[in-house]
Amino acid sequence: MKQLLIIFILFSQSYFSQSVSDHLDKSVKEMLSTSNALSANLSFYVSDENGNLVYEYNGNKGLSTASTQKIFTSAAALETLGKNYQFKTTASYSGKISNGNLDGDFYITSNGDPTLGSWRWENYKPENFKQQLLEAIKKSGIKKISGNLIIDDSYFDFQSTPGGWPWNDLGNYYGAGTFGVNWKENQFDIHINGNQFKSFSYDLNQVNWINELKTGGNSDQSLIFTAPHSETAMINGTLPAGKVTTVSGATPNPPIQLAVEIKKLLEENGISISGKTTTYYNEKIEGKSVSKAPTQNQIFEYKSPTLDKIVYWFLRKSINLYGETLIKTMAKEKRNNPNFETGVDFLKDFWKSKGINPMMINFADGSGLSPQNYVSAKAQVQALLYAKKQNWFDAFHEGFPTQNGIKMKSGTIKDSKSFAGYQTSKSGKNYVFSIILNNYQGGSISNALFKVLDNLK
């Protein structure tokens, strides 16, 4: 009797697996037979929770993943840095304090905290940071700074965006670079009525604008063009007429932006600064040298939310800044070389050590914004299966949005879409999947993929 029961269970599992596989295959062929998919490429891989293959279509084929690339970065960061890892921002000074006068320079530095001044956590908003810094300065006895206010942004190298990012992404909020000192997620907002600027969320320091906007249409079809450390920005495209639209851009120089705001804060509270307001890299651009923040005379330390909380927003809202910061942080912490190339190499070596064929993970960045990322669906499933066995999995899994009734991360670039995640069917079967579709032209690419993934419900 027991043997018959075992045979029945094995037969049932095989039958339902085969049924799902057949349905998936039918849906895939229907999707690829449409005119929208004439020149499309698909990589699709589905396994059960134990890694047993359920269905595969070009599972080894490397395609542009867009933001599902964040799966690899966030999982590697949780394991190598630890879910309780925190970034730190400090304030210190050179020289001496005498009768309230700092005869020296005042420094603020960070190890790249991407959440500094973020609005996503109640206790970490810009006002919280400023108030705590001000209280620390008052407690130190400083009432006047005779030297300079310096933002030491030297923790990372000078290159703030990965090579290969498209030019028409760099000036927009999702193309913000990562700096040694970040501020307000390196994002600003412009409130625009038709094609006329009304106001900014904050004044950008020394940025000159070229406005080529036109009115038309019913949605935001504008693009901002600028670059890190640039003093020129352009906006073009179209915005609806007769109403105010908010357009978000990438701050060209977040460290100097923070410096300007801190100077204003101090002066408003009666603390004057005799010297100039500058940054480590601003001085290097001008061919000058400036000392890095001293490790002694530290009066203030400000810690970020823990990494598990950062990963939540990284995955849930797909914040590219967080991904590139994590890439550089792993490069710095693990290989003492905080640049993108080292970080990408580290990420690839990490997943190679977990059994993923390196030919299937041709990474170009940590966020997926670069169209030069080529990853296979099978590699993504292998990463998801690995994550499921780790003690940090709950923090990882919590960040996945629910879309079309499925817990999955999405990725989007021009005419391409990817989804990867976990799904429990009505019958109780647990699936792990990745689907990547490139060069699907016209129609709703998301709806096309949803029809395929509905077979896992």
Side-chain angles (χ1 to χ4, degrees), residues 201-251:
S201 54
Y202 53 83
D203 292 331
L204 290 176
N205 185 62
Q206 297 179 344
V207 174
N208 302 304
W209 280 88
I210 298 173
N211 182 354
E212 295 186 350
L213 279 170
K214 296 180 180 179
T215 56
N218 299 311
S219 62
D220 179 0
Q221 297 297 319
S222 65
L223 282 175
I224 296 173
F225 295 84
T226 189
H229 296 280
S230 175
E231 295 182 356
T232 301
M234 179 183 76
I235 184 169
N236 64 15
T238 61
L239 289 176
K243 68 175 185 178
V244 175
T245 304
T246 298
V247 179
S248 299
T251 307

Side-chain angles (χ1 to χ4, degrees), residues 349-406:
D349 288 345
F350 174 87
W351 287 110
K352 179 181 176 181
S353 73
K354 307 307 176 187
I356 295 180
N357 188 323
M359 300 297 289
M360 296 194 298
I361 44 173
N362 191 7
F363 302 144
D365 63 17
S367 65
L369 186 58
S370 173
Q372 295 176 6
N373 287 294
Y374 294 101
V375 173
S376 74
K378 182 178 180 179
Q380 288 197 326
V381 168
Q382 287 177 310
L384 292 171
L385 287 167
Y386 177 80
K388 205 171 190 306
K389 300 175 183 177
Q390 310 311 312
N391 59 11
W392 41 259
F393 175 71
D394 288 346
F396 176 74
H397 185 252
E398 187 179 0
F400 281 58
T402 298
Q403 303 173 78
N404 191 42
I406 300 175

Side-chain angles (χ1 to χ4, degrees), residues 88 103 145 148 174 177 202-203 227 230 271 285 303 318-319 325 382 401 413 427 443:
K88 296 177 183 178
D103 185 16
I145 299 172
N148 304 311
Y174 54 85
Y202 53 83
D203 292 331
S230 175
I271 302 171
I285 289 172
K303 293 183 178 180
S318 213
I319 307 167
T325 301
Q382 287 177 310
I413 53 177
S427 65

Side-chain angles (χ1 to χ4, degrees), residues 3-23:
Q3 288 180 327
L4 289 174
L5 180 61
I6 292 172
I7 292 171
F8 175 75
I9 292 173
L10 291 173
F11 173 78
S12 298
Q13 290 178 339
S14 174
Y15 173 79
F16 286 114
S17 176
Q18 184 180 16
S19 177
V20 169
S21 177
D22 290 343
H23 287 309

